[in-house]
Protein backbone atom coordinates (compact mmCIF):
# COMPACT_ATOMS: atom_id res chain seq x y z
CA UNK A 1 0.00 0.00 0.00
CA UNK A 2 1.40 3.38 -0.99
CA UNK A 3 2.06 5.98 1.66
CA UNK A 4 -0.81 8.42 2.07
CA UNK A 5 0.24 12.07 1.94
CA UNK A 6 -0.47 14.23 4.96
CA UNK A 7 -1.80 17.60 3.84
CA UNK A 8 -2.44 20.33 6.41
CA UNK A 9 -4.22 23.65 5.96
CA UNK A 10 -3.05 26.28 8.45
CA UNK A 11 -5.03 29.39 9.41
CA UNK A 12 -3.59 32.35 11.33
CA UNK A 13 -5.56 35.37 12.59
CA UNK A 14 -3.96 36.31 15.90
CA UNK A 15 -3.45 40.00 15.09
CA UNK A 16 -3.99 42.05 11.93
CA UNK A 17 -2.98 39.65 9.15
CA UNK A 18 -5.22 36.92 7.79
CA UNK A 19 -2.96 34.10 6.64
CA UNK A 20 -3.38 30.62 5.24
CA UNK A 21 -0.94 28.06 3.96
CA UNK A 22 -0.78 24.44 2.90
CA UNK A 23 1.89 21.99 4.07
CA UNK A 24 2.18 18.52 2.56
CA UNK A 25 4.45 15.91 4.15
CA UNK A 26 6.40 18.70 5.82
CA UNK A 27 6.84 20.75 2.65
CA UNK A 28 5.36 24.25 2.38
CA UNK A 29 3.29 24.34 -0.83
CA UNK A 30 1.60 27.75 -0.53
CA UNK A 31 1.42 30.76 1.74
CA UNK A 32 -1.11 33.57 1.30
CA UNK A 33 -1.75 36.63 3.43
CA UNK A 34 -4.18 39.54 3.47
CA UNK A 35 -2.81 42.56 5.32
CA UNK A 36 -4.88 45.34 6.83
CA UNK A 37 -3.89 48.87 5.85
CA UNK A 38 -6.74 50.36 7.89
CA UNK A 39 -4.57 50.45 11.05
CA UNK A 40 -1.96 52.78 9.58
CA UNK A 41 -4.17 55.82 10.23
CA UNK A 42 -4.26 54.99 13.95
CA UNK A 43 -0.59 54.22 14.46
CA UNK A 44 -1.39 50.73 15.74
CA UNK A 45 -3.79 47.82 15.54
CA UNK A 46 -7.43 48.57 16.39
CA UNK A 47 -8.85 45.21 17.61
CA UNK A 48 -12.43 45.73 16.40
CA UNK A 49 -11.31 46.80 12.94
CA UNK A 50 -8.96 43.84 12.80
CA UNK A 51 -11.76 41.40 13.59
CA UNK A 52 -14.00 42.84 10.88
CA UNK A 53 -11.21 42.66 8.32
CA UNK A 54 -10.53 39.02 9.21
CA UNK A 55 -14.19 38.19 8.55
CA UNK A 56 -13.88 39.79 5.13
CA UNK A 57 -10.54 38.23 4.20
CA UNK A 58 -10.55 34.72 5.59
CA UNK A 59 -12.56 32.98 2.85
CA UNK A 60 -10.64 34.37 -0.16
CA UNK A 61 -7.31 33.89 1.66
CA UNK A 62 -7.96 30.20 2.33
CA UNK A 63 -9.31 29.74 -1.18
CA UNK A 64 -6.15 31.20 -2.74
CA UNK A 65 -3.88 29.11 -0.51
CA UNK A 66 -5.59 25.91 -1.64
CA UNK A 67 -5.52 26.91 -5.30
CA UNK A 68 -1.83 27.84 -5.24
CA UNK A 69 -1.02 24.53 -3.58
CA UNK A 70 -3.13 22.60 -6.08
CA UNK A 71 -5.02 20.95 -3.22
CA UNK A 72 -8.76 20.30 -2.93
CA UNK A 73 -10.67 20.50 0.34
CA UNK A 74 -11.37 16.77 0.33
CA UNK A 75 -7.63 16.11 0.14
CA UNK A 76 -6.91 17.80 3.48
CA UNK A 77 -5.78 15.57 6.34
CA UNK A 78 -6.16 18.19 9.07
CA UNK A 79 -6.61 21.89 9.77
CA UNK A 80 -4.34 23.84 12.13
CA UNK A 81 -5.38 27.17 13.63
CA UNK A 82 -3.83 29.68 15.99
CA UNK A 83 -5.51 29.47 19.40
CA UNK A 84 -3.36 32.19 20.97
CA UNK A 85 -1.79 34.34 22.23
CA UNK A 86 -3.40 37.16 20.30
CA UNK A 87 -6.35 39.51 20.04
CA UNK A 88 -9.49 37.72 21.26
CA UNK A 89 -11.75 38.99 18.47
CA UNK A 90 -9.23 38.16 15.77
CA UNK A 91 -8.59 34.70 17.19
CA UNK A 92 -12.33 34.03 17.37
CA UNK A 93 -12.72 34.60 13.63
CA UNK A 94 -9.93 32.20 12.70
CA UNK A 95 -10.90 29.50 15.20
CA UNK A 96 -14.60 29.64 14.30
CA UNK A 97 -13.87 29.36 10.58
CA UNK A 98 -11.39 26.53 11.08
CA UNK A 99 -13.74 24.73 13.44
CA UNK A 100 -16.62 24.85 10.98
CA UNK A 101 -14.47 23.73 8.07
CA UNK A 102 -12.93 20.86 10.06
CA UNK A 103 -16.34 19.62 11.19
CA UNK A 104 -17.76 19.78 7.68
CA UNK A 105 -14.80 17.78 6.32
CA UNK A 106 -14.73 15.43 9.34
CA UNK A 107 -10.98 15.93 9.83
CA UNK A 108 -8.87 16.89 12.87
CA UNK A 109 -8.65 20.47 14.11
CA UNK A 110 -5.30 21.23 15.76
CA UNK A 111 -4.78 24.17 18.10
CA UNK A 112 -1.50 26.05 17.76
CA UNK A 113 0.35 28.33 20.16
CA UNK A 114 1.89 30.94 17.90
CA UNK A 115 4.95 31.56 20.09
CA UNK A 116 6.02 27.92 19.86
CA UNK A 117 5.24 28.10 16.17
CA UNK A 118 7.61 31.06 15.78
CA UNK A 119 10.41 28.91 17.14
CA UNK A 120 9.54 25.79 15.15
CA UNK A 121 9.51 27.81 11.93
CA UNK A 122 13.13 26.73 11.64
CA UNK A 123 11.93 23.22 10.79
CA UNK A 124 9.89 24.23 7.75
CA UNK A 125 11.02 22.87 4.41
CA UNK A 126 10.32 24.28 0.96
CA UNK A 127 10.38 22.50 -2.41
CA UNK A 128 13.79 22.04 -4.04
CA UNK A 129 15.65 23.63 -1.15
CA UNK A 130 17.80 22.11 1.57
CA UNK A 131 16.61 23.24 5.00
CA UNK A 132 19.08 24.50 7.61
CA UNK A 133 17.54 22.84 10.64
CA UNK A 134 19.05 23.37 14.12
CA UNK A 135 20.08 20.33 16.10
CA UNK A 136 18.35 19.89 19.44
CA UNK A 137 18.77 21.35 21.97
CA UNK A 138 19.25 24.96 20.89
CA UNK A 139 18.69 28.47 22.23
CA UNK A 140 16.15 30.71 20.51
CA UNK A 141 15.68 34.46 20.83
CA UNK A 142 11.98 35.04 20.18
CA UNK A 143 11.32 38.71 19.41
CA UNK A 144 8.08 40.12 18.03
CA UNK A 145 5.64 42.97 18.49
CA UNK A 146 4.10 41.36 21.55
CA UNK A 147 6.78 39.08 22.96
CA UNK A 148 10.49 38.97 23.78
CA UNK A 149 11.83 35.71 25.19
CA UNK A 150 14.94 33.58 25.42
CA UNK A 151 13.91 29.95 25.08
CA UNK A 152 15.84 26.74 25.47
CA UNK A 153 14.38 24.27 22.97
CA UNK A 154 14.96 20.76 24.32
CA UNK A 155 12.61 19.04 21.89
CA UNK A 156 9.68 19.87 19.63
CA UNK A 157 7.23 19.86 22.53
CA UNK A 158 9.60 20.67 25.41
CA UNK A 159 10.66 24.31 25.63
CA UNK A 160 12.00 26.17 28.65
CA UNK A 161 11.71 29.95 28.98
CA UNK A 162 15.02 31.22 30.36
CA UNK A 163 14.08 34.88 30.28
CA UNK A 164 11.36 37.18 28.99
CA UNK A 165 10.21 40.77 29.04
CA UNK A 166 8.68 41.97 32.29
CA UNK A 167 6.76 44.74 30.49
CA UNK A 168 6.91 45.68 26.80
CA UNK A 169 8.30 43.74 23.86
CA UNK A 170 11.14 44.81 21.58
CA UNK A 171 8.88 45.10 18.55
CA UNK A 172 6.34 47.15 20.47
CA UNK A 173 9.11 49.54 21.56
CA UNK A 174 10.18 50.03 17.95
CA UNK A 175 6.61 50.70 16.83
CA UNK A 176 5.95 53.17 19.66
CA UNK A 177 9.19 55.08 19.07
CA UNK A 178 8.38 55.23 15.37
CA UNK A 179 4.99 56.69 16.27
CA UNK A 180 6.63 59.25 18.59
CA UNK A 181 8.78 60.36 15.67
CA UNK A 182 5.69 60.62 13.47
CA UNK A 183 7.03 58.04 11.01
CA UNK A 184 3.98 55.81 10.78
CA UNK A 185 2.97 52.22 11.41
CA UNK A 186 4.25 49.54 11.35
CA UNK A 187 7.48 50.99 12.65
CA UNK A 188 9.74 47.99 12.12
CA UNK A 189 10.36 48.33 8.36
CA UNK A 190 10.54 52.14 8.61
CA UNK A 191 13.12 52.18 11.41
CA UNK A 192 15.13 49.46 9.68
CA UNK A 193 15.33 51.40 6.41
CA UNK A 194 16.29 54.70 8.08
CA UNK A 195 18.84 53.04 10.35
CA UNK A 196 20.88 51.86 7.39
CA UNK A 197 21.65 55.52 6.60
CA UNK A 198 22.28 56.79 10.14
CA UNK A 199 24.96 56.90 12.83
CA UNK A 200 24.10 54.35 15.52
CA UNK A 201 26.20 56.21 18.11
CA UNK A 202 24.74 59.65 17.54
CA UNK A 203 22.32 59.38 20.49
CA UNK A 204 22.39 57.41 23.72
CA UNK A 205 19.26 56.10 25.43
CA UNK A 206 18.87 54.53 28.84
CA UNK A 207 19.23 50.76 29.08
CA UNK A 208 17.47 48.68 31.75
CA UNK A 209 19.32 46.94 34.57
CA UNK A 210 17.17 43.85 35.05
CA UNK A 211 18.55 40.85 36.97
CA UNK A 212 18.80 37.45 35.35
CA UNK A 213 17.87 36.91 31.72
CA UNK A 214 14.68 38.99 31.71
CA UNK A 215 14.13 42.02 29.47
CA UNK A 216 12.49 45.41 29.90
CA UNK A 217 11.75 47.98 27.21
CA UNK A 218 9.30 50.38 28.86
CA UNK A 219 12.10 52.53 30.26
CA UNK A 220 13.73 52.77 26.85
CA UNK A 221 10.52 54.19 25.37
CA UNK A 222 10.35 56.80 28.14
CA UNK A 223 14.01 57.71 27.66
CA UNK A 224 13.48 58.07 23.92
CA UNK A 225 10.43 60.29 24.42
CA UNK A 226 12.14 62.62 26.90
CA UNK A 227 15.29 62.86 24.79
CA UNK A 228 13.22 63.81 21.77
CA UNK A 229 11.23 66.41 23.66
CA UNK A 230 14.42 68.07 24.82
CA UNK A 231 15.77 68.48 21.29
CA UNK A 232 12.43 69.42 19.72
CA UNK A 233 12.16 72.40 22.10
CA UNK A 234 15.32 73.78 20.53
CA UNK A 235 14.50 72.78 16.95
CA UNK A 236 10.93 72.08 15.84
CA UNK A 237 12.24 70.18 12.81
CA UNK A 238 14.76 68.16 14.80
CA UNK A 239 13.19 64.77 14.00
CA UNK A 240 13.12 65.44 10.26
CA UNK A 241 16.76 66.57 10.31
CA UNK A 242 18.01 63.63 12.40
CA UNK A 243 15.57 60.77 11.75
CA UNK A 244 18.26 58.48 10.27
CA UNK A 245 20.54 58.91 13.31
CA UNK A 246 17.61 58.53 15.72
CA UNK A 247 16.50 55.33 14.01
CA UNK A 248 20.03 53.92 13.94
CA UNK A 249 20.63 54.77 17.62
CA UNK A 250 17.28 53.26 18.65
CA UNK A 251 17.92 50.07 16.71
CA UNK A 252 21.46 49.79 18.10
CA UNK A 253 20.20 50.18 21.67
CA UNK A 254 17.48 47.54 21.31
CA UNK A 255 19.78 45.06 19.58
CA UNK A 256 22.43 45.59 22.26
CA UNK A 257 19.88 44.91 25.02
CA UNK A 258 18.71 41.73 23.29
CA UNK A 259 22.15 40.38 22.50
CA UNK A 260 23.72 40.93 25.94
CA UNK A 261 21.09 38.78 27.64
CA UNK A 262 21.32 36.20 24.87
CA UNK A 263 25.10 36.01 25.32
CA UNK A 264 24.56 35.34 29.04
CA UNK A 265 22.10 32.55 28.20
CA UNK A 266 24.62 30.91 25.88
CA UNK A 267 27.29 31.03 28.59
CA UNK A 268 24.96 29.56 31.23
CA UNK A 269 23.69 26.71 29.04
CA UNK A 270 26.90 26.18 27.08
CA UNK A 271 24.78 25.75 23.95
CA UNK A 272 26.16 27.55 20.92
CA UNK A 273 23.37 26.63 18.52
CA UNK A 274 21.38 29.86 18.55
CA UNK A 275 18.30 30.78 16.53
CA UNK A 276 16.22 33.93 16.20
CA UNK A 277 12.48 33.94 15.54
CA UNK A 278 9.52 36.30 15.40
CA UNK A 279 8.79 39.39 13.35
CA UNK A 280 11.70 41.42 14.73
CA UNK A 281 14.09 38.77 13.38
CA UNK A 282 13.63 40.53 10.05
CA UNK A 283 15.55 43.52 11.44
CA UNK A 284 18.85 44.00 9.62
CA UNK A 285 20.76 45.15 12.70
CA UNK A 286 19.72 42.09 14.69
CA UNK A 287 20.66 39.76 11.85
CA UNK A 288 24.07 41.40 11.58
CA UNK A 289 24.57 40.98 15.33
CA UNK A 290 23.88 37.26 15.01
CA UNK A 291 26.33 36.94 12.14
CA UNK A 292 28.96 38.78 14.20
CA UNK A 293 28.53 36.34 17.09
CA UNK A 294 28.94 33.46 14.66
CA UNK A 295 32.21 34.91 13.39
CA UNK A 296 33.71 36.00 16.71
CA UNK A 297 32.37 33.44 19.20
CA UNK A 298 31.73 30.39 17.07
CA UNK A 299 27.97 30.36 17.37
CA UNK A 300 26.03 28.23 14.92
CA UNK A 301 23.24 30.65 14.05
CA UNK A 302 19.87 30.03 12.44
CA UNK A 303 18.10 33.02 10.89
CA UNK A 304 14.68 32.89 9.13
CA UNK A 305 14.73 33.46 5.38
CA UNK A 306 12.63 36.58 5.25
CA UNK A 307 13.21 40.33 5.35
CA UNK A 308 11.23 43.54 5.15
CA UNK A 309 9.94 44.44 1.71
CA UNK A 310 11.16 47.61 0.02
CA UNK A 311 7.66 49.08 0.07
CA UNK A 312 7.77 48.97 3.91
CA UNK A 313 4.65 46.80 4.01
CA UNK A 314 4.10 44.52 6.95
CA UNK A 315 4.19 41.48 4.68
CA UNK A 316 7.55 39.73 4.53
CA UNK A 317 9.19 38.60 1.30
CA UNK A 318 9.62 35.04 0.11
CA UNK A 319 7.97 33.50 3.18
CA UNK A 320 5.37 36.23 3.75
CA UNK A 321 4.03 36.53 6.31
CA UNK A 322 5.98 35.27 9.30
CA UNK A 323 2.64 34.88 11.06
CA UNK A 324 1.83 31.71 9.16
CA UNK A 325 5.33 30.28 9.19
CA UNK A 326 5.09 29.99 12.96
CA UNK A 327 1.73 28.25 12.50
CA UNK A 328 2.81 25.80 9.85
CA UNK A 329 5.88 24.77 11.81
CA UNK A 330 3.82 23.76 14.81
CA UNK A 331 2.13 20.90 12.96
CA UNK A 332 4.88 19.46 10.80
CA UNK A 333 7.59 18.71 13.33
CA UNK A 334 9.29 15.42 12.51
CA UNK A 335 8.59 13.64 15.78
CA UNK A 336 6.12 11.01 14.60
CA UNK A 337 8.27 8.05 15.59
CA UNK A 338 8.36 9.10 19.24
CA UNK A 339 4.66 8.49 19.92
CA UNK A 340 3.34 5.00 20.69
CA UNK A 341 0.09 3.77 19.17
CA UNK A 342 -2.01 3.73 22.33
CA UNK A 343 -5.58 4.90 22.74
CA UNK A 344 -5.89 8.40 24.21
CA UNK A 345 -8.57 9.39 26.71
CA UNK A 346 -10.58 12.61 26.56
CA UNK A 347 -9.27 15.60 28.48
CA UNK A 348 -11.00 19.01 28.97
CA UNK A 349 -9.32 22.42 28.88
CA UNK A 350 -10.81 25.77 29.88
CA UNK A 351 -8.42 28.56 28.87
CA UNK A 352 -8.87 30.12 25.40
CA UNK A 353 -5.36 31.60 25.35
CA UNK A 354 -2.91 28.95 26.52
CA UNK A 355 0.16 27.14 25.29
CA UNK A 356 -0.63 24.34 22.87
CA UNK A 357 -1.90 21.31 24.72
CA UNK A 358 0.71 18.59 24.65
CA UNK A 359 -2.17 16.12 24.70
CA UNK A 360 -3.55 17.60 21.49
CA UNK A 361 -0.07 17.59 20.03
CA UNK A 362 0.34 13.90 20.82
CA UNK A 363 -3.09 13.13 19.39
CA UNK A 364 -2.11 14.64 16.08
CA UNK A 365 1.18 12.78 15.97
CA UNK A 366 -0.84 9.58 16.36
CA UNK A 367 -2.81 10.64 13.30
CA UNK A 368 0.42 11.16 11.39
CA UNK A 369 1.67 7.73 12.41
CA UNK A 370 -0.99 5.98 10.41
CA UNK A 371 1.08 6.76 7.30
CA UNK A 372 3.62 4.31 8.70
CA UNK A 373 1.04 1.73 9.66
CA UNK A 374 1.71 2.24 13.35
CA UNK A 375 -1.64 3.50 14.53
CA UNK A 376 -5.27 2.40 14.28
CA UNK A 377 -6.81 5.65 15.41
CA UNK A 378 -7.68 9.05 14.11
CA UNK A 379 -7.61 11.96 16.53
CA UNK A 380 -10.45 14.43 16.28
CA UNK A 381 -10.56 17.78 18.02
CA UNK A 382 -13.89 19.54 18.32
CA UNK A 383 -13.55 23.14 19.54
CA UNK A 384 -16.61 24.99 20.86
CA UNK A 385 -16.86 28.57 22.11
CA UNK A 386 -19.21 29.30 25.01
CA UNK A 387 -19.60 32.91 26.27
CA UNK A 388 -20.29 32.72 30.04
CA UNK A 389 -20.46 35.89 32.11
CA UNK A 390 -16.86 35.41 33.28
CA UNK A 391 -15.52 35.56 29.73
CA UNK A 392 -15.19 33.40 26.65
CA UNK A 393 -14.21 29.81 27.48
CA UNK A 394 -12.74 27.25 25.12
CA UNK A 395 -13.54 23.60 25.57
CA UNK A 396 -11.95 20.85 23.59
CA UNK A 397 -13.37 17.38 23.38
CA UNK A 398 -11.59 14.46 21.78
CA UNK A 399 -13.31 11.54 20.19
CA UNK A 400 -11.72 8.64 18.44
CA UNK A 401 -12.81 6.43 15.61
CA UNK A 402 -11.07 3.20 14.72
CA UNK A 403 -9.63 3.27 11.22
CA UNK A 404 -10.84 0.54 8.92
Amino acid sequence: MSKEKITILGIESSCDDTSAAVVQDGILLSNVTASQAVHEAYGGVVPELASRAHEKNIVPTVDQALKKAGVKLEELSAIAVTLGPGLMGSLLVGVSFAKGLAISLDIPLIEVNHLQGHILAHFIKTPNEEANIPELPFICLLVSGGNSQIVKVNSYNNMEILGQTIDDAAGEAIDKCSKIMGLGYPGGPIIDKLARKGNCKAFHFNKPNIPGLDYSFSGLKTSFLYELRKYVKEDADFVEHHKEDLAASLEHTIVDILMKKLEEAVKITDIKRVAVAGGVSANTGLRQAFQKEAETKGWQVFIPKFCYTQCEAIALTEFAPFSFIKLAAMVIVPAVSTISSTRMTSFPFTSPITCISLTTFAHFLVLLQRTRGQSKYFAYTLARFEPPTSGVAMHKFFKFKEEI
Side-chain angles (χ1 to χ4, degrees), residues 79 226 365:
I79 296 174
Y226 288 168
L365 291 182

Side-chain angles (χ1 to χ4, degrees), residues 24 29 35 46-48 88 113 145 156 160 175 188 194 202 208-209 212 234 241 245 267 276 280 310 341 359 366 374:
Q24 188 172 81
L29 300 183
S35 297
V46 181
E48 178 61 26
M88 181 59 72
N113 174 281
Y156 305 111
E160 178 185 357
D175 284 340
L194 291 174
N209 184 19
E234 301 172 0
H241 295 157
D245 289 344
K267 289 180 182 178
V276 61
V280 180
Q310 293 301 311
S341 57
T359 304
V366 171
Q374 298 173 350

